[in-house]
Amino acid sequence: MTLFLQQLFNGIALGSVYSLVALGLTLVFGVLKIPNFAHGALYMAGAYVTYALLTIVGIPYLLAIAIAALVLALMGVVLERLVFHPLRDRSHVQAMIAAIGVLFFLEASAQKLFGAEFRMMPTPYGGVVNLMGVTVTTQRLLVIGASLLVMIVLFLFLKRTVTGATIEAMAQNRAGAQLVGINTNRVSMLTFAISAALAAIAAALIAPIALVSPTMGEVINTKVFAIIILGGMGSIPGAIVGGFLLALVETFTTAYINADFADIIGFAVLVIVLAIRPTGLFSKGT
Amino acid sequence: QQVVNIGFSGPLSGGAAFYGQNVQSGIDMAIKEINKAGGVKVGNEKVTFNLVSLDDKYLPNETATNTRRLLQQNNAPFVFIPHAGGILTVQGFNQRNPEFLVVAYSSEPKIVESGNKLTFMLPPLYTMYHEPFVKTTMQAHGKKLGVIPTTSAYGKAWTDTLTAEWKKQGGTVGANNGVDYNTTTDYSAAVTKTLAEKPDVLFIGGPSQPTALVIKAAREQGFKGGFIVMDQAKFEEMDQIVPVSQMEGAVGVLPLRDFRGPAAQKFVAAYRAQYKKEPTSEMALNYMGVHALAKAMELAGTTKDVAAIRAKLPDALKAMPKDKNVYNSTGVDESGHMIAQRIMGQVKGGRITQLTSTQR
Amino acid sequence: MRPGVVITALALFAALLIPVITKNGYYLDVLIMAFIWSIAASGLNVLLGYTGLLSLAHAAFFGIGAYTVGILMLKHGWSFWLAWPTATALTTVLGFLLGLVAFRTRGDAFAIFTLAVGVIVTQVIARWEHLTGGRDGLNGVPQPGKVGPIDFSEQSVFYYLALGALVATLYVIYSVVKAPVGRAFVAVRSNEDLARASGIDTFAHKQRALMLSTAIAGLAGGLYATYLGFLGPAASAVTVTFTLLLYVIVGGAATLAGPVIGAFLLVVLAQLLQASQEYQHLILGPLLVVLVLFFPHGLMGLWQKATRRFNRPAPAPAVIATSQEAERAQR
Amino acid sequence: MHNSAQNGGQTGSSGQGALQVQDVTVRYGEFVALRNVSLTVNPGEIVVLLGANGAGKSTLFRTISGLQRPVSGTISYNGENITGRDAAEVIGRGVAQCAEGRMLFPELSIQKNLILGAFIHRRDKNGVNRGLEEVYELFPILRDKRHDAAGSMSGGQQQMLAIGRALMARPQLLLLDEPSLGLAPLVVEQVLEVTRRINATGTSVLLAEQNAYAALQIAHRGYVMENGALTLEGSQAALLGNDAVRSAYIGV
Amino acid sequence: MLSVENLGIQFGGLKAVSGVNYSVTPGAVNAVIGPNGAGKSTFFNLISGFYQPTSGRITFGGEDVTRMPAHKMATRGVARTFQTTSLFKELPILDNVLQGHRLRMRSGIWDAILRTPRLRSEEREARERAAFALDFVGLSPRDPRPVGMLTQEAQKRVSIAIALATDPKLVLLDEPAAGINPDETEGLVRLIRKMVDQGYTVCLIEHKMNMIMNISDHIMVLHHGQKIAEGAPREIQGNPAVIEAYLGGGHRA
Ligand SMILES: Nc1ncnc2c1ncn2[C@@H]1O[C@H](COP(=O)(O)OP(=O)(O)OP(=O)(O)O)[C@@H](O)[C@H]1O
Ligand SMILES: Nc1ncnc2c1ncn2[C@@H]1O[C@H](COP(=O)(O)OP(=O)(O)OP(=O)(O)O)[C@@H](O)[C@H]1O
Ligand SMILES: CC(C)C[C@H](N)C(=O)O
Ligand SMILES: [Mg+2]
Ligand SMILES: [Mg+2]
């Protein structure tokens, strides 16, 4: 039972990070129909920016995360303008290739600036609490709490504000959005900004647990793609549910089968779900 | 006056870039030293060296292409390669025309088992660690081993032989909960599962920094026992991530900086000054490798005949300047394996201390 | 005579001469690898370019082909000349099985479904130690034996084998795409509903395109195994598919020469950039972006624009439906 | 037959709601969708644009709204050149479109669709609320279903929502692209009736229709478009009386 | 010929077609009319195998073809065009029409690689067939432009030529006259007449009433997915239910 609870907690902590990263990816896909293969690289960049702010500039952790989110939002905007906006009416494969180019560039830049080594991100939340035999580290509580907070804020922003509604509107009908006077360019930029900021926040939250390195985005990249496919491309609840689902499959595979099989089973679940429901869990029927 | 190119093909980008750069820096340092001292005298000629490094991203096919390039474009008689896949691939053609010496930095047994005549293997076989590691930790902590190392090829091989040794000495071994240390985001799930078996000792290891994280996760979840740390992880890098106090009860490779002997101390000081980071055995062994080759050229009186140079390697290690022989090597065995002292360490009383020394 | 034909003939002539001119093992190695990658990329092009389906499991089939040859030769002592066709046949059959399930999905979902399959294949290769040697890989895969006086372990001789395999592959693709069956591939890409209405069994044709493409991937993988002598799980990794995809798109999808041009250009470029060491990806990354932004139909697109004469199909414009088309298709 | 805007309210082309399209040509790639199209809507008029499927009506509408850039020609609105302006700017000046295919946000609620319709007035909260009331007044069914997803409604209701959403922008010129598409004849009559009422409050209307007979009933003037070019223009009566129009678009 | 019994299909809660009983009159122009959204295109989709009916039965030439997939229906001899002109846009005319004959060929990949005699004879046959179909609709096979660049009218003809190249018995035309001007509509009417004269059976959806009344031998009227009337043009024109539902109160035919 304790084992189960402990793994549940582990899974939820990991799931919050997956969900946060997947949300950014699914938002961009939903609104712009771009499979942004550079998303993992933005995640990585977010971790490094936070790391630099913490260790070089010496800003407190939470403030550093906030600033990193802003910096990444800006990077997202630049990326949208320079690369993805010009490709918006082209085939997905082309956007994918361009995204791979961006990924190469960001990874190489990180290695050039910070070196190839793993780096440890310091955190003030190093404590451990024991709840009914379950080890609860403060950092993981922070991961869960902050992710949930960010998701709620994002949800309220999308559902309760007119600006948020413009994002949903554009996802549902781009021309319709233009027709009511929404500046779709601005919404694209906003979406990229939010997407990159979410990735940065997720990375900064998990980094004290998982280390920072130039290639840290590659692994998460495949996973979040799996997640948004699992959840249904462009679906926000799909990204959240998919994120927790994959994390729980992974942790429970680790717990009850074998850690080495966690990935394989995660992807097997994806293949099975898609074979049964080709468009993912949360897509509307075709 | 002749310049000999020394080739290096290793990961300089991607996930293993840090490792590749470490190896590269050891080679680089030795070459710079030799050149600064005016080179070596081969026959009647002064010979200096030039390092040609190529990135292979840890991919064997890239290693093969790089190696051919080093041979054809740079006439390099030696190619340093720090990963088993690449080494095994080029061993397929290093005894053909043109011949070249593979300088292997990998402790994969197959590399020397194949009987390749032109291979010089730098690190000691990892199996030498097993017996003392198991003995020490089993005595100190108990007979139950939890297994949670990295799942790389190297990690798997280590796991197989180590767990066999653990059983041989009368212990019990839990399920293998290995995870890929290069791709895992959160180790807690694997640690939780391993700790559920209530082990006394954990076998861990992979790149240093993730290894430290596994220790951290285990301690957070209340693990009180000891650790057997695979030689890929280095205490002197791990203590950058977790305090030494958390590593209490761990056995592993003694940090180079704690290795007694003038050559080691000199090397550590020089390396830190030049590269602004902590040197480990990766740097030191490759550094020794270059010096040994230079000496062997001198002794063989040729820069081209790699078989002759290879033949002189055992003598070269004995004859090489004492202050370059970081690990007090006494030679090279039949199969091309460098015989060196690698001292084992343990964390005891909050300090990293020497365990026992063995020779191979 | 068309300029394309003249250039092809010249290129083939030059390719035949190279081993006569130089014995430089490095040059030959780069060219042999470029041939092998060209074959694999051409296989991807059958599916992506002509049929409009993006399979991200392509490298998985390349890997399966390679491992089949490796295992049969190394562990069972088969001759390469038997192992190679067997590997190709196996990847063909596996392609068929993949299609049975994968063609339930369309568009992006198909791409990602195959991505997941690709990931799984790599993972299985890495874990099925008994068969594949796991992460250690397989070492010492022999070279093709002698055939009469011809010794294929000689690099310059192997060069001709790889070149021959590439030419044969291109001949097959060329024959297929101009035959009714290949025209039907294009019909599927262009307008699947109309294809169905016109009586084309689109499922069967997608299956054929997938099988042809996986067969070619297996063929390339087999060459790779015997040439390199060592196999690791990385050969089947999804990153390899992405690399092949780069070759196809940069060279120009749905053209015979595109994948070959792309592969040669990028393989050679990577070698040139090796000199710049840590800057190689700093240069390659933006270069890819620029190529995609300014040459949407790849280098062959440029060529076709220059020599446009409406009697050939334009290169596939949108391989996966663009957002607008996707929206329209939903309605 | 030439422009004889007898019923067209006040004439003159620079009053509120005046649209002038001059020599506009639009291409999709190499396909010419509109060829030198010139057309005028005078303030207060309902002008109908007749044309078969694919004639280019929607293309013209998209071009006026700034969703499509013309390769040549000018579009001016209230005397100002708006050629090639962003869609957001065009609607900001008072030209709203109820587009072909409705272009609703199917997963958003009806109310949210309407609120987004007033996007350009989003800072004027009271104005938006007043607009909502007016639209609900016009189409009571929308008020009843205001919390439902737009996509869940029947085609006719969705069409009402699309018109309502366009009205939320408080346009002086309303572009209606085939509002009767997919609607039962009864609903068609209702929609046209609403159009007439909107027009009565001073809004000019440019209406594209295939259902020529019904549309001509409420229009002041009309144009006929074929294969991307205007081939006829005239008053309501003139068009209704024209044999070619009768045979092609009304049926004899 | 084709006939349906109690045919119906439901999308979610919407009965797009329900309880339709109908037989196509061979060798004639059979029109299907009805308001927008009445289910006409859906009816075509059902009988051409694009949709699977949720109720009822379809027979063609005596065979039960109720759940037969689209490509098999085409092989049986049911060809169709789409409401929005649907072509292989980036291909030239000839390649478009050649696709239409693929269903009569057996050659596959091996034939292509080995250039078998079968491939060659089939290819020759396909080209003859394409030439015939193009000649029938009055287009030249030599136009090298992608068909997406042709005029609406030419595109309509290409789509009919593709259908003819399949060697059909029954041709379903969904609003073939949409988007072409009255003159061109005349030409199209002549083309459809010619098809019937040559022995094809035509089933036609159209909104252009003058054309329908002038060309059809038989009309079925759908409304809300149900058949509300059926008969000769004269009867339909005078049918109060049809006037009410479709032609409209104001319609004076
Ligand atoms: N995005 C596009 N790309 C290419 N061609 C297009 C595009 N949109 C429309 N067309 C073509 O332009 C022509 C005019 O289309 P448009 O939609 O303007 O016609 P319409 O008169 O509104 O027709 P309908 O009655 O069907 O609404 C058609 O031939 C159509 O196929
Ligand atoms: N695939 C589908 N899924 C859901 N609803 C559909 C689908 N296809 C058609 N419908 C619905 O079925 C009804 C009938 O549509 P259909 O296209 O058959 O009409 P139609 O008579 O051809 O009209 P038009 O004259 O406008 O072409 C419509 O309400 C339509 O929205
Ligand atoms: C830890 C290292 C010595 C392992 C080495 N990289 C190998 O591939 O074998
Ligand atoms: Mg329109
Ligand atoms: Mg229809």
Side-chain angles (χ1 to χ4, degrees), chain C residues 3-56:
Chain C
V5 177
V6 176
I7 291 176
T8 310
L10 286 177
L12 187 61
F13 185 65
L16 286 169
L17 273 186
I18 283 173
V20 179
I21 298 166
T22 176
K23 288 275 178 265
N24 184 313
Y26 165 60
Y27 293 150
L28 292 183
D29 183 77
V30 169
L31 291 174
I32 290 171
M33 286 313 294
F35 289 147
I36 295 176
W37 294 131
S38 296
I39 297 172
S42 298
L44 187 62
N45 187 36
V46 169
L47 204 56
L48 175 70
Y50 293 105
T51 325
L53 299 161
L54 173 59
S55 164
L56 294 177

Side-chain angles (χ1 to χ4, degrees), chain E residues 35-42 83-84 174-175 205 207:
Chain E
N36 291 113
K40 305 179 297 293
S41 298
T42 305
Q83 178 161 1
T84 44
D174 195 347
E175 297 199 34
I205 296 175
H207 283 296

Side-chain angles (χ1 to χ4, degrees), chain A residues 45-118:
Chain A
Y48 272 105
V49 173
T50 317
Y51 176 81
L53 290 169
L54 275 170
T55 57
I56 301 172
V57 190
I59 292 172
Y61 182 55
L62 293 181
L63 185 62
I65 297 184
I67 298 179
L70 286 179
V71 173
L72 260 289
L74 201 68
M75 269 178 72
V77 170
V78 171
L79 207 57
E80 197 275 338
R81 280 296 97 182
L82 247 43
V83 180
F84 293 111
H85 183 73
L87 291 175
R88 67 195 175 285
D89 291 331
R90 302 262 201 91
S91 94
H92 283 188
V93 183
Q94 296 188 349
M96 243 160 69
I97 300 283
I100 292 171
V102 173
L103 179 96
F104 282 176
F105 178 74
L106 289 179
E107 261 183 29
S109 306
Q111 188 178 328
K112 188 92 199 87
L113 290 173
F114 292 92
E117 60 263 46
F118 288 105

Side-chain angles (χ1 to χ4, degrees), chain B residues 12 53-55 59-61 64-66 68-69 72-73 85 88-89 96 108 110 151-153 156, chain C residues 24-27 29-30 33 37 129 135-136 139 143 153 155 224 227-228 230 234 271 274 277 280-281:
Chain B
L12 296 173
S53 306
L54 297 174
D55 181 13
L59 298 171
N61 61 317
T65 302
N66 286 349
R68 288 197 164 100
R69 174 167 171 164
Q72 301 284 348
Q73 313 301 101
L88 292 168
T89 305
R96 286 200 259 157
E108 167 68 53
K110 277 189 219 153
T151 51
S152 66
K156 285 250 156 117
Chain C
N24 184 313
Y26 165 60
Y27 293 150
D29 183 77
V30 169
M33 286 313 294
W37 294 131
E129 287 172 25
R135 291 175 170 88
D136 274 342
N139 185 37
Q143 268 150 340
S153 62
Q155 199 187 14
Y224 176 89
Y227 177 65
L228 210 60
F230 176 86
Q271 287 301 318
Q274 268 276 16
Q277 286 290 342
Q280 53 177 323
H281 281 174

Side-chain angles (χ1 to χ4, degrees), chain C residues 328, chain D residues 28 31 33 52-59 100 178 210, chain E residues 152:
Chain C
R328 225 173 280 160
Chain D
Y28 295 114
F31 175 79
N53 257 319
K57 307 181 293 293
S58 302
T59 301
E100 181 180 43
E178 297 198 46
Q210 290 199 39
Chain E
Q152 272 292 318

Side-chain angles (χ1 to χ4, degrees), chain E residues 106-126:
Chain E
R106 310 229 43 83
S107 68
I109 288 184
W110 287 115
D111 299 88
I113 298 171
L114 304 174
R115 320 213 162 191
T116 57
R118 171 164 79 176
L119 175 90
R120 269 174 288 149
S121 76
E122 281 186 354
E123 187 70 20
R124 205 177 323 110
E125 210 176 285

Side-chain angles (χ1 to χ4, degrees), chain E:
Chain E
M1 230 339 86
L2 186 120
S3 62
V4 304
E5 265 169 56
N6 189 33
L7 191 66
I9 187 170
Q10 202 159 342
F11 297 115
L14 175 80
K15 287 182 179 162
V17 170
S18 78
V20 173
N21 294 301
Y22 176 64
S23 278
V24 171
T25 313
V29 177
N30 299 264
V32 178
I33 64 170
N36 291 113
K40 305 179 297 293
S41 298
T42 305
F43 178 71
F44 269 20
N45 281 329
L46 284 170
I47 58 179
S48 59
F50 268 77
Y51 292 166
Q52 306 299 325
T54 44
S55 68
R57 235 165 72 90
I58 308 169
T59 52
F60 182 68
E63 183 187 11
D64 185 336
V65 294
T66 308
R67 299 203 164 271
M68 192 167 275
H71 69 272
K72 287 214 177 124
M73 287 303 290
T75 331
R76 293 291 187 283
V78 179
R80 68 169 294 181
T81 66
F82 291 85
Q83 178 161 1
T84 44
T85 316
S86 183
L87 294 170
F88 304 111
K89 271 202 178 147
E90 73 271 29
L91 305 185
I93 291 183
L94 180 63
D95 284 33
N96 265 271
V97 181
L98 282 173
Q99 301 286 12
H101 202 63
R102 171 72 186 138
L103 79 173
R104 303 289 168 217
M105 306 191 201
R106 310 229 43 83
S107 68
I109 288 184
W110 287 115
D111 299 88
I113 298 171
L114 304 174
R115 320 213 162 191
T116 57
R118 171 164 79 176
L119 175 90
R120 269 174 288 149
S121 76
E122 281 186 354
E123 187 70 20
R124 205 177 323 110
E125 210 176 285
R127 278 172 201 278
E128 278 163 16
R129 187 71 209 170
F132 160 80
L134 283 172
D135 181 60
F136 197 107
V137 302
L139 287 171
S140 152
R142 268 185 289 279
D143 193 334
R145 286 175 299 168
V147 291
M149 291 169 62
L150 306 180
T151 63
Q152 272 292 318
E153 201 254 341
Q155 293 193 20
K156 301 269 174 196
R157 285 178 188 270
V158 176
S159 67
I160 293 175
I162 296 175
L164 291 179
T166 66
D167 271 341
K169 299 187 180 82
L170 171 65
V171 184
L172 312 175
L173 303 173
D174 195 347
E175 297 199 34
I180 59 177
N181 68 31
D183 271 357
E184 294 166 338
T185 307
E186 283 291 300
L188 186 71
V189 167
R190 278 194 298 275
L191 177 60
I192 293 172
R193 268 277 148 240
K194 181 168 144 198
M195 283 165 67
V196 174
D197 292 344
Q198 305 271 321
Y200 297 103
T201 304
V202 174
C203 199
L204 172 76
I205 296 175
E206 234 344 307
H207 283 296
K208 292 188 175 173
M209 290 322 292
N210 56 335
M211 169 174 168
I212 284 289
M213 296 305 166
N214 142 24
I215 195 177
S216 353
D217 302 304
H218 184 270
I219 299 178
M220 164 170 81
V221 187
L222 286 177
H223 184 42
H224 292 313
Q226 286 168 322
K227 183 172 86 178
I228 57 169
E230 186 175 354
R234 294 238 155 266
E235 301 161 34
I236 295 298
Q237 252 172 324
N239 185 318
V242 178
I243 292 174
E244 164 87 43
Y246 182 55
L247 302 176
H251 184 84
R252 288 150 296 170

